Amino acid sequence: MPLRFHNTRTQKLELFTPKTEGEVRLYLCGLTTYDHAHAGHARTNTTFDVLVRHLRNRGLKVSYVRNVTDVDDKILKRATELGEEPLALSARMAELCDGELAAIGCAKPDHEPRVSTHIPEIVALIETLIEKGSAYVAETANGKDVYFHVRSFADYGKLSKRKIDDLQAGARVETGEIKKDPLDFALWKGSSEAWGWDSPWGKGRPGWHIECSAMAHKILGAHFDIHGGGMDLIFPHHENEIAQSEAAWGPEFANVWMHGGFLDVDGEKMSKSLGNFVTIAQVLDRNDAEGFRYFLLGAHYRGPLNFDVDFTRDETGEVRKGADGHAERTWFPGVDEGERRTDYLYTAIVSAEAFAEGASPAIGAKVSKAFPALAALAKSGAEDVAVALDDDLNTPKALAVVGEIAKGMNELITKAQKQFKKEPEGIAEAKALAAALSIALRGAVAPLGLLQASPEDYFARTKVRRLALRKLEAATIDGKIEARLAARAAKDFAQSDLIRDELAALSVELQDGPTGTTWRILV
RNA sequence: GGUGGGGUAGCCAAGCGGUUAGGCAUCGGUUUGCAAAACCGACAUACGUGGGUUCAAAUCCCAUCCUCACCUCCA
C-alpha cells in the first residue's frame, strides 16, 4: 500500500515519495514557550507523532525536527510581568511543555532547535535576502528594521491561495510608513530594549517566520519532504516561510505541507484569546494520558474535533466557580470515553494472555475453520492498521481495527470453550490464536502510540488517580467488600446488594468471580 | 468581500461512484443468588436542502442553507 498524504499546497491527496529514497525529513512548527501547552497543541503534536511512528514502522528513516520559538514579543511581555529574564522564562516553559507532550506519548523529536541559539543563521539568511533584493532595511524610532518585500516573490500566496491584492484590501492600516507594502513582514526588528542581539542592522530581535526557515535549512537542508503544523499557521506563517526560503534557495522549500484541524470547544476553536483553552496538565489531572490520546485519534487529523467540557456543578445545578472566579471545568466527556476504551483494550489483553497461558502464537487448522474471521485478524490486524495510516493517517479507521482485534480476543475466549468442549486440540489451538491476536494487537497499536504501558502499570496508575479524584481510600473499599462477602456467605443477599449499591454510587464497580471479588473505579 | 474546514442514524465518527467502518447511549438475550465484566442481537438501507449526470451517488456537477476558521498573534 503506497503512502498518500493530503498536501495543502496542491489541495490534493498525493502519493508520497521521499526526496531521498528510504529517508524522510520532517519539520513541525513547535511552540512559542511562554505558558503551558494546551489541548490544541496536544492534538497537532499527537498527529505528527503518529506520522513519525508510522513512517518508521514502514521502515523509513525519519529525521524529525520540532522547533522551539523561545524569542518572541509574547515571551518578553510575560517575562516582564513575572519579573523574569525572557530566556529563563522561555527555557523553563520549553522544558515544561516538552514534559507535557512527552506525557501524552509524543516521542521526542530528533532535533529541537531554539531561536536563541540560531541568531547567526537567521542573520545570515536575512543578509542573503537583502542581497537578492527580496528584503530591505527601514529606519525606525527604535533603530533599523528589515522587511521581506512580498511583491518581490512572484509565488506569494501559493500555499494559502491568497492574492496579494485581495489581502491588501483587507489589510490593516499600519502606523507609520516604514514598509514599502502593507503586507511586507519583519525579518528583523530593531530594538532599544534590553533583550536583543547585535546584528549588521544594530541591536534587535528576529521577526516571527524567519527562524523556521533558517533552522529547517540548517538541519534538513534547503529542500525537504514534509512541513507540518496547525491549520492556523497556513497564513501568514507558512506562506511567509515559503517566501523567505524560496527567495533564498529556490523552490520547493517543502514538498508536502500537512496541516492539522482545530480542537474546538463548543464548536469554537480552542485558543488563548477566546479564553476557552484547557491545558494538557488540566486534562491529565482528570484523565489518563493514553485515554486522552485515544480521544485525539478518534477523529481524522484534518477535520475538527470537539473537546467537550462539562462544568463542575453544585447541588443546585449551578456551575461552580473557582477561587479565580472562573467556572471550574474538570469534566471531559470525550476524553472519559477514550479512557473507557483504553480500559477495554487493556482488559482484553489481560484476558487473552490469561487464557493463552503462555501458549506460543500460532494459527491452527481447527481454530481457523471455527473462527475464520479471528484467524484472519490475527494475520492481518497489524497490517490493516498500517494500511489505514498509509491513507493520509486515517486514525479513526485504525482505531476501529484495533477495537476489532480486542473484541476478537474476547469473542474467542467466550466461544472457544463451548466450541471445543470435547476437543483438547481445539482448545490448545484457541490458546495459540489468543496469543497471536494479542501480538497482532500490540503491533496494531504501536504506530498509534497507544497501550505503551504494561496492563499492571496502567491499571495501577489509573486506580491511584481515580481514587484520588473521588477522594476514596482503597482500604475503605476493601472493608466494605469484606462485609459484603460475609453477608453473602450468610446468604443475606439484601445486605450484600445494599453494600454493592453503596459502592456503585461511588463509581466503584464490583466483579464477583470464581476466585473472589475484584473491584475497579469507573472513569 | 477573499480563502479554507465541517454538516452522515439519539450522540461521536469513518467512508468520498456499486458487499449499510467502528464506538457510545438505549432496549432485548447468554451468563450470574442478583449484578458487573464479556459475548450475541436490535436500534441501522442514515448521509443539510433543491436540482442534475449515471444502469448505479453519502460519494461527481450546479445552486443553496447552516456552522467554524483564516485574512492581526494563535497548534
Side-chain angles (χ1 to χ4, degrees):
Chain A
M1 183 76 180
L3 285 157
R4 298 196 308 164
F5 298 124
H6 180 87
N7 186 353
T8 307
R9 247 249 40 228
T10 58
Q11 297 177 298
K12 277 191 230 153
L13 220 50
E14 292 176 347
L15 279 177
F16 176 68
T17 316
K19 292 179 71 70
T20 306
E21 200 184 334
E23 289 178 27
V24 179
R25 285 172 287 161
L26 166 70
Y27 187 95
L28 174 67
C29 279
L31 299 168
T32 299
T33 50
Y34 63 102
D35 206 340
H36 286 269
H38 65 62
H41 300 130
R43 159 119 118 140
T44 302
N45 279 274
T46 300
T47 294
F48 286 92
D49 180 68
V50 169
L51 174 63
V52 170
R53 286 173 190 265
H54 179 241
L55 292 172
R56 288 187 174 141
N57 192 40
R58 279 305 197 200
L60 293 158
K61 190 167 170 287
V62 181
S63 194
Y64 176 26
V65 181
R66 182 180 72 199
N67 71 288
V68 175
T69 300
D70 65 346
V71 177
D72 179 273
D73 287 351
K74 289 192 290 294
I75 293 168
L76 178 62
K77 184 168 175 280
R78 181 66 56 90
T80 307
E81 286 165 12
L82 296 173
E84 193 173 359
E85 282 298 310
L87 274 184
L89 169 69
S90 55
R92 189 161 65 80
M93 288 300 162
E95 197 174 337
L96 194 72
C97 294
D98 225 42
E100 288 166 344
L101 293 174
I104 58 168
C106 293
K108 211 166 162 52
D110 301 300
H111 306 273
E112 294 182 86
R114 297 189 182 192
V115 180
S116 60
T117 55
H118 290 79
I119 302 295
E121 287 84 354
I122 290 168
V123 167
L125 173 54
I126 296 172
E127 286 183 310
T128 302
L129 290 171
I130 293 172
E131 280 163 26
K132 296 205 171 192
S134 303
Y136 57 90
V137 180
E139 297 278 352
T140 76
N142 295 324
K144 286 175 177 170
D145 287 358
V146 183
Y147 292 96
F148 185 90
H149 192 212
V150 154
R151 288 197 187 269
S152 71
F153 184 66
D155 277 341
Y156 194 78
K158 72 174 175 179
L159 181 71
S160 57
K161 316 295 176 243
R162 283 165 164 84
K163 294 189 181 74
I164 292 181
D165 293 325
D166 291 343
L167 284 165
Q168 203 119 40
R172 300 199 173 184
V173 180
E174 299 287 331
T175 51
E177 294 299 319
I178 47 173
K179 290 198 241 176
K180 288 186 184 171
D181 190 291
L183 292 167
D184 291 352
F185 55 91
L187 302 173
W188 187 265
K189 293 192 269 195
S191 170
S192 51
E193 288 158 1
W195 198 28
W197 288 261
D198 291 327
S199 80
W201 319 285
K203 192 168 184 177
R205 294 192 293 273
W208 184 27
H209 327 293
I210 193 69
E211 82 281 16
C212 285
S213 289
M215 298 192 295
H217 175 257
K218 185 189 178 194
I219 300 167
L220 297 176
H223 312 287
F224 53 94
D225 297 296
I226 302 173
H227 192 127
M231 268 175 58
D232 45 1
L233 295 184
I234 295 173
F235 189 89
H237 187 54
H238 288 164
E239 194 68 60
N240 291 351
E241 280 188 49
I242 289 176
Q244 295 157 353
S245 302
E246 296 189 3
W249 306 299
E252 293 281 334
F253 177 42
N255 272 357
V256 183
W257 288 84
M258 292 176 73
H259 292 98
F262 297 131
L263 190 65
D264 294 342
V265 174
D266 295 326
E268 286 185 314
K269 178 187 171 187
M270 178 180 288
S271 72
K272 296 198 171 175
S273 51
L274 286 170
N276 62 351
F277 67 93
V278 173
T279 63
I280 292 173
Q282 282 176 306
V283 176
L284 296 186
D285 277 344
R286 162 142 193 100
N287 288 105
D288 188 77
E290 291 194 319
F292 182 38
R293 196 172 169 95
Y294 188 104
F295 162 75
L296 292 173
L297 299 179
H300 184 83
Y301 78 91
R302 282 193 288 120
L305 172 59
N306 202 37
F307 184 86
D308 292 318
V309 177
D310 272 5
F311 299 100
T312 308
R313 292 170 192 279
D314 62 23
E315 307 74 44
T316 60
E318 287 290 303
V319 172
R320 207 159 71 196
K321 300 278 176 67
D324 60 355
H326 288 95
E328 280 189 22
R329 301 173 296 188
T330 54
W331 203 260
F332 314 119
V335 184
D336 282 351
E337 193 183 321
E339 188 166 338
R340 284 188 209 105
R341 289 295 292 165
T342 306
D343 276 10
Y344 174 81
L345 297 177
Y346 273 114
T347 303
I349 287 183
V350 170
S351 308
E353 286 174 357
F355 174 73
E357 289 183 315
S360 310
I363 303 169
K366 279 180 190 293
V367 89
S368 295
K369 199 180 169 199
F371 306 103
L374 301 186
L377 255 188
K379 270 185 206 142
S380 71
E383 177 62 16
D384 290 348
V385 165
V387 167
L389 297 179
D390 281 344
D391 189 17
D392 200 29
L393 292 183
N394 194 334
T395 54
K397 195 172 179 182
L399 287 180
V401 175
V402 167
E404 275 171 22
I405 300 171
K407 190 173 180 172
M409 302 195 305
N410 286 327
E411 187 187 337
L412 180 70
I413 295 163
T414 49
K415 291 182 178 171
Q417 320 260 15
K418 278 185 190 169
Q419 192 92 6
F420 297 122
K421 213 167 186 174
K422 290 172 186 167
E423 291 181 83
E425 277 177 44
I427 293 286
E429 281 191 15
K431 290 183 177 193
L433 179 58
L437 281 167
S438 183
I439 286 171
L441 183 61
R442 292 284 188 193
V445 119
L448 300 170
L450 291 171
L451 307 188
Q452 299 297 293
S454 71
E456 296 73 30
D457 288 349
Y458 172 78
F459 287 118
R461 80 186 185 207
T462 50
K463 181 173 270 188
V464 167
R465 209 199 53 254
R466 292 175 199 174
L467 278 171
L469 272 174
R470 309 263 177 198
K471 298 186 170 53
L472 292 172
E473 300 273 345
T476 316
I477 295 165
D478 289 333
K480 287 185 189 292
I481 287 176
E482 272 186 41
R484 177 169 171 271
L485 282 175
R488 290 181 79 206
K491 302 262 186 238
D492 182 355
F493 292 119
Q495 175 64 17
S496 153
D497 290 352
L498 199 71
I499 294 171
R500 189 183 54 210
D501 292 346
E502 199 182 313
L503 287 170
L506 300 170
S507 295
V508 177
E509 182 183 270
L510 302 187
Q511 291 169 34
D512 295 327
T515 55
T517 297
T518 57
W519 60 273
R520 62 174 190 149
I521 304 189
L522 300 178
V523 178

